[in-house]
Amino acid sequence: MLDASVVIPVLNDSSALIKTLPAVIAQIGSRRVEIIVVDNGSLDDSIQVAEHFGARVLREHLRRASPYSSRNRGIDVATGQVIILLDATCTPETGWFEAGMASLREKKATIVGGRVRFSFGSSKPTPAELFDSMVHVQMQESIEQHGCAMTANLFIHRDVFSRQGLFHEGIRSGEDLRWTKAAGQAGEVLVYCHEAVVRKPARCWPALRQKVTRTAGGAVSLLGPHRAVYEMTRNMLLPPNPLRTFSLVKAHYPAGTAALSWRVFLVSWRLRWVRASGMARALLGFSGRPRETGALASE
């Protein structure tokens, strides 16, 4: 059995793969590691880029736009003792692989979430980029305060999937939070590793709006219709807490707190309406039916 399998879902993101795959390869060296790229219906040259760098390429075109179904297909065929789930947009920094693997051993963990560090398109980040970098993929906070993690940068013992099953199929967003939370509640040991770092570009406004719309749909599946209606109404009627926004900016960017806080506050307020609209659309299509899971879950 190989030491590890790196599973990377991709959808129309060849420009990210060009950066991510060489960074992964540079850290493998002589270790027994395979790289599996699962295409989710790309129309660009993502498949060609993956093949150029020697990755094993799979296709998940039945459930398009579901990164969790794509991850399931990769996990199905992976032969590593450790499954590393990595987003195409997350480029590992030096020492990432060794730190994540060591954390599994030394902390006696079964799931390890590494740090996600954001980068910006210029020396003057936009308010949307700042918001994204402070609010999304905060791995340490998610793991240590909420007991869940994101699949952007996860190291998982292979046996965990045999015990807990795969991700629910066809989900677009939020399934990683549900799955890791349930795994932790079932006895898996989930820890944070500050040294296993990947770098991810912060989103500009159109991409941020798209993400919040998408995650709003995932929130409806996680919360259920009744709680989702409450959250949707709350987002529509109440503005963000300005003191919380100020504290958030101060914690992340203390040098520019006063100048940045009001700009980030306005972005946050706009996104509350975006989230409410996304939840409303998802509620209209909510069926309440349980989601199917991957192959390992039914064995």
Side-chain angles (χ1 to χ4, degrees):
M1 184 176 286
L2 298 177
D3 294 333
S5 300
V6 183
V7 177
I8 305 173
V10 66
L11 175 61
N12 296 325
D13 224 339
S14 62
S15 59
L17 281 181
I18 289 174
K19 299 176 182 177
T20 298
L21 290 177
V24 172
I25 293 168
Q27 299 196 39
I28 292 175
S30 60
R31 301 176 182 90
R32 298 177 300 165
V33 178
E34 64 180 346
I35 301 174
I36 302 170
V37 173
V38 188
D39 182 74
N40 203 194
S42 296
L43 300 177
D44 66 358
D45 60 342
S46 292
I47 291 176
Q48 289 77 14
V49 169
E51 290 175 339
H52 172 77
F53 286 104
R56 178 178 181 181
V57 177
L58 304 177
R59 292 169 173 82
E60 170 53 81
H61 293 180
L62 177 62
R63 300 173 181 87
R64 292 177 64 103
S66 174
Y68 303 105
S69 291
S70 296
R71 292 181 181 107
N72 285 344
R73 301 294 80 74
I75 296 165
D76 280 336
V77 303
T79 58
Q81 297 181 51
V82 174
I83 309 295
I84 302 173
L85 300 180
L86 185 68
D87 280 359
T89 54
C90 291
T91 304
E93 296 191 351
T94 303
W96 160 81
F97 179 82
E98 199 59 55
M101 297 292 281
S103 191
L104 282 172
R105 296 190 304 268
E106 296 167 5
K107 298 180 180 180
K108 297 181 179 179
T110 52
I111 308 174
V112 170
R115 180 161 53 124
V116 177
R117 177 184 291 167
F118 285 85
S119 59
F120 303 112
S122 69
S123 58
K124 291 185 177 181
T126 66
E129 288 177 319
L130 291 170
F131 181 91
D132 191 36
S133 72
M134 292 185 292
V135 173
H136 294 132
V137 205
Q138 302 300 308
M139 195 72 82
Q140 183 174 12
E141 177 184 342
S142 293
I143 291 174
E144 296 181 354
Q145 297 184 25
H146 306 293
C148 56
M150 304 81 171
T151 43
N153 184 18
L154 279 186
F155 293 71
I156 307 171
H157 272 301
R158 179 178 182 80
D159 292 345
V160 173
F161 294 104
S162 297
R163 292 190 293 266
Q164 308 303 332
L166 298 182
F167 299 106
H168 287 172
E169 297 281 353
I171 306 290
R172 182 67 184 97
S173 180
E175 172 61 9
D176 46 1
L177 300 177
R178 184 208 66 81
W179 187 89
T180 52
K181 182 81 169 183
Q185 291 173 340
E188 306 297 344
V189 181
L190 170 63
V191 303
Y192 170 70
C193 179
H194 192 72
E195 294 74 28
V197 186
V198 298
R199 185 171 291 275
K200 178 181 179 65
R203 295 176 179 85
C204 58
W205 171 253
L208 183 60
R209 181 180 57 200
Q210 183 180 34
K211 174 186 172 57
V212 171
T213 299
R214 171 169 53 82
T215 56
V220 171
S221 297
L222 288 169
L223 296 173
H226 298 296
R227 286 187 60 193
V229 168
Y230 169 78
E231 288 296 327
M232 179 190 69
T233 305
R234 188 166 168 268
N235 275 281
M236 290 177 64
L237 298 179
L238 299 177
N241 186 331
L243 293 179
R244 185 176 179 183
T245 302
F246 181 86
S247 299
L248 185 66
V249 175
K250 185 177 180 181
H252 286 265
Y253 303 103
T257 302
L260 296 175
S261 291
W262 70 272
R263 300 169 66 197
V264 173
F265 173 80
L266 292 176
V267 169
S268 179
W269 200 344
R270 291 178 68 187
L271 287 175
R272 288 177 77 90
W273 280 88
V274 171
R275 180 175 171 83
S277 298
M279 294 181 79
R281 285 193 290 271
L283 281 164
L284 290 174
F286 184 80
S287 67
R289 294 191 302 267
R291 300 281 185 167
E292 62 175 313
T293 56
L296 286 179
S298 61
E299 293 179 354

